[in-house]
Structures are given as structure tokens and as C-alpha cells.
Amino acid sequence: MPSRIHARPHRWTLASRLAAMLVGTACFTVALAGFVYDRELSRGLRASAETRLVRAAQSARLLIESHQGVLESRYRALGGTPEVVATLELQHAPTTQVLARHVREQHGAALIALFDARGALLAQSGDRPAAAAVASGKRGVVIAGGSAFLAVSAELPAGRRKTAQLVALEPIDARLLAHWSELCGATVALAAPPAEDALVARLDGGLFVVGDRGPERATLATARAKLAISGAAAVAATLLASLWLAGSLVRPVRRIRSALGQIESGDFSVQLRSARSDEIGEVARGVDSMAERLRATHAELAARVDELRRDQAHLARAQQMARLGSFEFDLATHELTGSDEFWVLCGASDRLKGLAPAELFERVDPADRASVVDALRGCVDGAAGAIVEFRVRLPDRGDRCFQAQAQLASVNGVACLQGTVQDVTERRRAEEQVRFLAYHDSLTGLGNRQLLGDRLKLATEHSRRRGDQLAVLYLDLDEFKRINDTLGHTTGDELLRQVADRLVAAAREATLRPRATERDGDPAICRLGGDEFGLLVTHVRDTSDLAHVAEHLLTRVRRPYRVAEQDLVVSASIGIAIWPTDGAGYEDLITHADAAMYHAKANGRNTFAFYDASMNEAAMRRLRVEMRLRHALEHGGLELAFQPKLELASGRIIGFEALARWSDPELGVVSPQDFILVAEQTGLIAPFGRWLLREVCEQVRERDRALAAARARVSFNVSVQEFGPRFVESIAETLARTGVDPRRLQIEVTESSVMRNEETAISALQELSDLGISIALDDFGTGYSSL
């Protein structure tokens, strides 16, 4: 046995692996951290030294400037002595030379030079190298002959508003440099040090500021020493920790023993997951394998239980979202069971106790109880499914609408009814709302065109069986667009609502009461669109009754309305079509009543008119004229005729009037009175006016010489509807394109049309007159006779 033990290959134990890993990691981490820290610290210290040097250089410059300012002030004070002023005023060379020497000696300057106002040298006293520096014109610090000087200048009075310039060179000695170095915190020297790593900043004039990197080097050395000590301490601590962990190898054994205890108690979720190659790893893997087999069996059972629970939760959630509950009623014991949502729908205070079938049946609306009983009885007797809708009165939610489905089933040999109950209240309300919106006007609440059509179809069937007549009254408000344009659509909508209410009341008050085709008995009044209303009148035996109804409606509509704190008065026009004489169907009656309404408007408004076949012919004629006029404008079907104008006194022709003529292949010759009116009513007057202007200009350009010789103009009519924003601009563009002289044209407008929009029309006419076009008025005196 001992020989076999010694033959085993060496294995890394837990203690050896842990110690080697921790010590190696600690050494690598300490080395890496020391390298990064040393590098970043060196960079930071160098940056700090450079920043300190920049600040020292700035301080040195301020010291030099301050010293220079003091010297200039001192020399400028010489200008206050009389002897200096007198000497400079006389400008006697020997005397001036003496003054320069005296000032140099008195102030200890290396050189004093005096210049006149024009810059000519008066006198100087001092060293030759210094004199060369003055001659160069430098100021501030200058280097001459290996010495440093501070060149300053001061302006001195020379009498009689004359000035002289004093230039002095003050020596910069070692004492002054030491003083500056002490104040700025760095060495100020005449030359830069030869060391390559020295921090040096050059000042103006040749001085240098030298920084000392000694503090940074000392700081870096101290930091490195401390870092080495810290690294050694970290490695030592890691070694001690690894030794302590190696002594705790007994912990995995304890984990294995604990895992076996959990498995024994029924907890199969134990997973040691050991990847070690030692004995502890082999035992741990055996425990994991045993636990895995036990866990697989247990998980399969738990999965099936969870699946059943999820299905139950999904079903409950789906029933809650759909407001749907399921129930089961035992036909033998009369026991009623249901889902949670079923008892919620039924208004049970306790879902566990539920409600007794009798109590639940009491909550069904009395009017629907018989249908519920019949449906359930038919389901039991016929063994077929049943669907029934009924209303339920719940104490906390009021009336609700339920839909129940039930079918006969057998559970364990016992007959029972199984089914569902769904709350369809909101769906029924939505369906009713959709049905209401489909057949009613949202603004007034009256029926719409579709509802009137359905009522009319039903009413015609009833009238056909009774042998009487019915009528459709088509009512349209007069000049309602003017109210919308002036007072706004909000006011217009409120007026329409009040008109609708008044029409309903007026229809009930009329002697011949309109009979509705619905059970509620409301008058069959509908809003057909915009300011148009339709009224269905049944049981008509005498058409004179319809005239009475129309008169009553017009009287009530004309009464003032209070809208937006102001009184409004509006009238209406009514067209009447009678079934079956004026049409057999809905479309015919509505179309003919509409035509009669337009006939009433043409006869002065605020009246009514019965439909006549000639009205439809006139409307069809107008529609055909509109369609053919569009075709003629697009394909050149119109032409011009020129009517001469004679001067009665001389008998000569003084102009021509351009007249539009139209001969259509289908309509024949159409009178201008007809197609001009259609053009104004359908919006074709604008393209018609452009065609007329273009054709007149083309004709005038071809006959310009003849018209000029006769001093004649060509006139043409313009409708006031053409006075739009670009009316004058369009005429100017046409004149420029055709090259026609505006003096050859004359525009004719009627006085009454101008007065409809006086401000716009007169402004446009003034602009046309400024272009050179002549203006003529037709029918003067028929309007206001004020132009």
C-alpha cells in the first residue's frame, strides 16, 4: 500500500493553488499599479512645475513693467524744475550736455539722452554701448555690451508749448535681478542654464526666468519609496490571506455534508458544481449527479401543476377582460356554481358563497323573465343550446344587459346546465350610438337624409294601403351664408340648432300634424345638410293643408332668435313635392322639392312653392347650359361680335362694343342673358372674363392702326364678380403680352353691380384708369346714382 501511494502523480491541492494564485495576482497588481502611478505622478509634477514657471514669468514681467513705470515717473518729475525747462528752451549744446551729465550722475543711470520734439539728439552722456542701444529705439529691457539695461523715456516741457524727450538707460545689476527672483519665486537671469531638463521662460529684451524642479524630484522620490513599501505590504498581506484560506479547506467538506442533508429532507435543488480534480471534487460531482436525477423527476411533476395553474389564471383573466363568467346548474339538486367573474357580474357580495338561484332570478328584469325561462326550458327539453339576452338590475351598478348561452351536459352521470354569461351593456350602447349617428345629425339631433329616406319609404307603403297622399317640404334658410361669413360658424351653428327646435315645435302646432313613422311620435323633420331641412307630412287629403303648414313654418322661422347676446332674424324658402303626383320614389320627391325651393327663392324668398314639371325642365336646361359652357370655354366654342357706336351729332363711328356670342351644336344659339347668368352663378365668370379680355386684345392688336386713325375704343363688359385680388394684375399682364395700347380699351360695368362691393370695385376701377383704360357705366341711375 505505501508503494502505491508514493507512485501517485503530484496534484495541485486546494491550498497550493490558492496560495500561488493570490500571491501571483497581488504581485502583478502591485507592479502594474506602481508603474501607472509613477508615470501619472511624473506627468503631474512636470505639469505643476511648468505652471509655476508660467506664473513666475508673468510675475517677472509685471515687476519689470512696475520698475519701468517708477523710473519714468521719476524722470518725468524733472520737467517741473525751472532750470531744466530753461535749459531745454535755450537748447544750448554745452549747457544741454552739462544737464545730461548732471542727470546721469544724480540718478546713477548708464546713459541719459535728450531729444527735441522732432526727434533730433540734443545731448547725451554715458557709455558707448548704451548709446547704441538708445539709437536703436528700443524700450524696456535691452542688452548692450554684455550688460542688461532698462530703457525708459519721459516727455519734458521745453517752454512755449514745446516738449523734449528724455531717454535713460538704467543698469540691471545682480542685486535687482535677485530682488526680482525673490518676488516672482523663480530665478531671473541674463542667460539660460545649459541643462537640457531645466525649465526656462524667455522674457522680452533677453532676460530668462529659470524654474527649479527640485521640489518635484523630491516629491517623486518620496512617492516611489512609499509605493514600494505599500506594494511589499500588499504582497505580504496576500500571502498571509492565502495561508489562512489554505487552512480552511474543510469548508467544502461541510458543504457536501449539508447538501446531503437537504436531499434527505426533500430539497433537490442542491448543486455543488465542483470542477476540482481532488477527492472533494469527485465526491461533490457524485452528489450533484444524484440530486440531478431526483430534481428531474420532481420538476416534471411541478411543471404539470404550474401549467394547470397558468391555464386557470389565463381563463380567469380572459373572463374578466371579456366580462364573461361561466356557470353550472345541477338540475337534480338545483345547486348553482360559477367562476369568480360570474359572481362579480351577478353582483354577489361574497364570491365564495355566491347567490341562490331564486335570488339571482329576482334580479332579472320582470319584462325579460319569461324569455329567460323559455330559453332554459327549451334547452333542457330539446337538449339543444340556447342563447338569450336579458336585462339585470344590480344594486350597485344599475341596469345591465347580459347575454347568456347554455347547453345540457352530463357530469359524472348527473344532468346539468353549463353555460356562460357576458355583460354586453357597453357593446349594446355602442351599437345604439353608431345606429343613432348613422341616422341623425350630430349638430341638431334631428334625423339626417338617410333617416328621411327610410321614413319616406315606409310612409309610401302605408299611404299606398290607405289610399291617401304624403308630401315632402324642402326648407332652406335665406342668406344663411351671410351669417356664417359675418358672425362666424359658431354663431351659425347655434342658429341652426334653434331653427331645428323651432321647426319641431312648429310642426306639432300646425293644423295638419305630420305623422311620424317611428313609435315615439316625433315629427318627421330631418336636417338634409348645411341650412337645409326636410319635413315629411303624411295623411294629406287636401293640398291646401300643405300651404297652411308651410305658412306656419315660415311665420315661426321669421321670429327673432337670441344668439350670442344679439337678436338675429332669418327667413326661409320652402319647396313642396307631393306623392305620388310629383314622384314615385325618395330621390324624385327630394329632387323635385329642391327644385320648387329654388323657384321660391327666385320669386323673392320667404315664401313657398309647389313643384311643377316646368321647374325641373328649367333646372335641367340650366345644368345643360353650364356643362356645354364649360366645354365651349375649353374648346373655343365662343366668338366675338363687334357693335359700332355712333356719335349722333356727326354720325361717325367713335367706338365698338365687343359682345360674346355662342352657338352650341346641341343647344343651338344661346342668349347672352342666359349663359352670362349661368356663368356668374356657377363660378365660370372668371374664366369667361379671361377669354373675353384675351380675344378683345387680339382683335384690337390686329386693327390698331384703323382704331387709332378713327380715335375709336373697343369696350367690353366686366362682371363685378371678376374684381378679385389679381383682377387688375391679370389685365396688365394681358396688355403687356399682346402689346395693346390701354387707350384703345374701355371697360363697361353697371352701377348697381359696382355698389354691391363699392370699396373693392372703385379701387379696382381707379387702378384700371391709372393704366389708361377708359371706364364706362351702364344703367346709370338704376343703382344709387351716387358714383
Side-chain angles (χ1 to χ4, degrees):
M1 179 64 69
S3 60
R4 293 181 61 185
I5 294 177
H6 290 295
R8 284 185 178 180
H10 176 73
R11 294 185 302 176
W12 279 86
T13 63
L14 177 62
S16 58
R17 286 200 304 267
L18 186 61
M21 180 182 66
L22 292 178
V23 173
T25 302
C27 293
F28 175 78
T29 304
V30 169
L32 180 62
F35 173 78
V36 174
Y37 180 79
D38 182 81
R39 185 176 181 182
E40 293 300 321
L41 182 60
S42 299
R43 291 180 179 177
L45 292 176
R46 180 175 181 81
S48 176
E50 291 175 353
T51 301
R52 191 173 70 253
L53 178 65
V54 171
R55 294 177 178 174
Q58 293 176 351
S59 300
R61 292 189 183 94
L62 294 176
L63 289 173
I64 294 173
E65 291 174 0
S66 176
H67 187 67
Q68 183 177 357
V70 171
L71 293 177
E72 288 177 352
S73 299
R74 188 178 66 185
Y75 284 111
R76 196 178 297 112
L78 295 176
T81 60
E83 57 273 16
V84 173
V85 176
T87 301
L88 294 177
E89 182 176 8
L90 292 174
Q91 294 187 0
H92 183 256
T95 306
T96 307
Q97 184 67 31
V98 172
L99 175 64
R101 185 172 61 256
H102 173 72
V103 172
R104 181 179 62 80
E105 294 174 352
Q106 180 183 4
H107 293 279
L111 175 69
I112 296 294
L114 296 173
F115 299 88
D116 61 9
R118 293 173 297 177
L121 180 64
L122 297 177
Q124 69 177 11
S125 174
D127 298 334
R128 291 286 182 179
V134 171
S136 66
K138 295 182 179 179
R139 296 295 182 267
V141 178
V142 296
I143 304 298
S147 300
F149 302 92
L150 186 61
V152 298
S153 64
E155 190 176 62
L156 303 177
R160 298 179 183 179
R161 299 183 180 179
K162 295 181 179 180
T163 59
Q165 189 75 19
L166 183 146
V167 178
L169 288 184
E170 291 281 344
I172 301 176
D173 52 13
R175 182 183 58 80
L176 183 58
L177 291 175
H179 178 64
W180 285 350
S181 300
E182 181 180 1
L183 291 178
C184 68
T187 303
V188 181
L190 295 178
E196 295 180 357
D197 61 340
L199 297 176
V200 180
R202 185 180 180 88
L203 301 178
D204 297 335
L207 293 180
F208 296 88
V209 177
V210 181
D212 183 14
R213 297 182 61 185
E216 283 78 14
R217 290 192 179 96
T219 302
L220 181 60
T222 302
R224 287 174 176 172
K226 292 181 178 180
L227 183 61
I229 295 173
S230 300
V235 173
T238 304
L239 181 59
L240 292 176
S242 62
L243 294 176
W244 177 82
L245 290 176
S248 61
L249 290 177
V250 71
R251 293 177 183 174
V253 178
R254 292 177 179 175
R255 287 185 59 199
I256 294 175
R257 187 176 62 183
S258 176
L260 292 175
Q262 292 179 4
I263 294 175
E264 185 179 2
S265 64
D267 184 4
F268 308 118
S269 62
V270 176
Q271 282 188 337
L272 297 177
R273 298 182 182 275
S274 177
R276 298 178 176 132
S277 59
D278 54 10
E279 294 81 356
I280 296 178
E282 294 175 358
V283 174
R285 284 189 291 274
V287 174
D288 286 346
S289 177
M290 179 180 63
E292 182 67 25
R293 291 192 297 270
L294 294 175
R295 185 168 55 251
T297 304
H298 183 267
E300 183 178 358
L301 296 176
R304 294 184 179 181
V305 174
D306 291 341
E307 184 178 358
L308 293 176
R309 291 175 179 174
R310 283 196 301 270
D311 291 344
Q312 185 178 7
H314 291 165
L315 179 60
R317 192 178 303 111
Q319 289 183 353
Q320 184 179 7
M321 295 174 61
R323 305 287 292 167
L324 178 71
S326 58
F327 68 90
E328 182 176 299
F329 180 70
D330 192 323
L331 296 178
T333 63
H334 293 177
E335 181 182 0
L336 178 64
T337 59
S339 63
D340 290 345
E341 188 62 23
F342 174 77
W343 295 121
V344 171
L345 293 177
C346 296
S349 58
D350 190 344
R351 300 179 186 178
L352 297 178
K353 295 181 179 180
L355 293 173
E359 183 180 359
L360 182 60
F361 190 73
E362 287 295 327
R363 297 188 177 187
V364 177
D365 189 277
D368 297 333
R369 291 175 184 174
S371 60
V372 173
V373 172
D374 293 340
L376 295 178
R377 183 178 291 117
C379 181
V380 173
D381 296 341
I387 300 177
V388 61
E389 286 192 8
F390 55 92
R391 288 165 294 178
V392 176
R393 294 180 178 178
L394 301 178
D396 56 342
R397 288 179 293 165
D399 291 348
R400 308 296 293 179
C401 183
F402 285 179
Q403 183 184 74
Q405 297 186 13
Q407 62 181 5
L408 187 63
S410 177
V411 178
N412 297 327
V414 179
C416 62
L417 285 178
Q418 293 181 341
T420 60
V421 173
Q422 185 175 15
D423 187 344
V424 295
T425 306
E426 301 302 328
R427 187 175 72 187
R428 291 293 176 260
R429 289 176 181 173
E431 292 174 354
E432 293 175 0
Q433 181 68 14
V434 170
R435 187 181 300 107
F436 180 84
L437 293 177
Y439 286 93
H440 290 80
D441 173 52
S442 60
L443 177 64
T444 62
L446 298 178
N448 57 15
R449 185 181 293 268
Q450 184 175 356
L451 180 61
L452 181 61
D454 292 347
R455 288 184 173 183
L456 185 57
K457 292 176 183 177
L458 184 60
T460 52
E461 294 296 330
H462 293 171
S463 296
R464 184 178 290 108
R465 290 194 298 267
R466 291 191 303 265
D468 55 13
Q469 303 178 92
L470 58 86
V472 173
L473 278 66
Y474 201 107
L475 183 145
D476 183 84
L477 301 181
D478 298 330
E479 300 292 343
F480 180 74
K481 184 177 182 299
R482 175 174 53 85
I483 295 177
N484 271 340
D485 294 341
T486 56
L487 301 180
H489 288 275
T490 301
T491 302
D493 291 345
E494 178 60 26
L495 178 61
L496 287 176
R497 281 190 285 266
Q498 294 191 22
V499 169
D501 295 340
R502 192 170 294 182
L503 287 176
V504 173
R508 292 171 178 170
E509 295 169 356
T511 301
L512 178 62
R513 297 180 182 272
R515 307 283 179 84
T517 59
E518 294 186 347
R519 293 181 299 176
D520 55 11
D522 288 338
I525 298 177
C526 299
R527 184 186 178 206
L528 304 180
D531 57 337
E532 299 173 345
F533 297 87
L535 175 64
L536 175 61
V537 181
T538 59
H539 300 282
V540 177
R541 302 190 182 278
D542 191 346
T543 56
S544 61
D545 294 336
L546 295 174
H548 173 75
V549 173
E551 285 285 358
H552 185 72
L553 293 177
L554 294 176
T555 302
R556 289 297 304 272
V557 169
R558 281 196 305 270
R559 294 179 182 177
Y561 299 87
R562 187 65 177 175
V563 181
E565 298 183 357
Q566 56 185 333
D567 292 331
L568 300 179
V569 178
V570 65
S571 61
S573 300
I574 299 177
I576 305 173
I578 303 174
W579 180 88
T581 57
D582 296 334
Y586 166 74
E587 293 294 339
D588 292 340
L589 287 176
I590 292 295
T591 301
H592 294 164
D594 187 20
M597 182 270 295
Y598 275 107
H599 186 73
K601 283 186 177 293
N603 288 339
R605 297 186 175 87
N606 193 28
T607 186
F608 65 90
F610 286 90
Y611 172 74
D612 185 80
S614 60
M615 297 178 185
N616 193 38
E617 294 177 0
M620 293 300 297
R621 167 74 178 179
R622 177 181 174 277
L623 180 60
R624 292 181 61 194
V625 168
E626 177 187 351
M627 296 175 57
R628 296 302 301 171
L629 181 58
R630 291 183 187 273
H631 183 273
L633 288 173
E634 294 175 0
H635 300 86
L638 299 174
E639 58 185 15
L640 285 181
F642 292 90
Q643 176 176 283
K645 294 181 179 181
L646 300 179
E647 185 179 58
L648 297 180
S650 62
R652 71 182 184 89
I653 297 177
I654 61 172
F656 299 89
E657 181 178 5
L659 303 174
R661 294 293 182 263
W662 181 26
S663 180
D664 185 76
E666 296 183 7
L667 303 177
V669 177
V670 184
S671 169
Q673 183 178 0
D674 294 337
F675 68 78
I676 294 297
L677 179 61
V678 171
E680 289 181 341
Q681 293 176 348
T682 59
L684 293 176
I685 194 64
F688 175 79
R690 290 193 294 268
W691 170 84
L692 180 62
L693 175 64
R694 185 175 61 253
E695 292 295 323
V696 168
C697 289
E698 294 289 344
Q699 297 289 344
V700 169
R701 183 180 61 182
E702 295 178 2
R703 298 168 176 80
D704 183 70
R705 293 185 178 179
L707 293 173
R711 291 180 296 175
R713 292 190 180 96
V714 175
S715 63
F716 58 95
N717 290 287
V718 173
S719 172
V720 72
Q721 295 184 15
E722 298 182 53
F723 290 158
R726 297 191 71 257
F727 174 63
V728 179
E729 182 180 350
S730 176
I731 292 180
E733 291 175 356
T734 304
L735 293 177
R737 186 171 60 253
T738 58
V740 173
D741 186 354
R743 294 175 297 176
R744 299 285 178 264
L745 300 180
Q746 184 179 68
I747 288 181
E748 295 185 4
V749 293
T750 61
E751 182 197 2
S752 58
S753 64
V754 170
M755 291 309 166
R756 293 178 186 174
N757 194 354
E758 179 180 351
E759 183 177 351
T760 302
I762 292 179
S763 175
L765 294 177
Q766 182 63 50
E767 293 180 18
L768 292 175
S769 179
D770 294 341
L771 290 177
I773 300 176
S774 175
I775 309 298
L777 285 181
D778 274 351
D779 303 332
F780 183 72
T782 61
Y784 295 90
S785 301
S786 61
L787 189 61

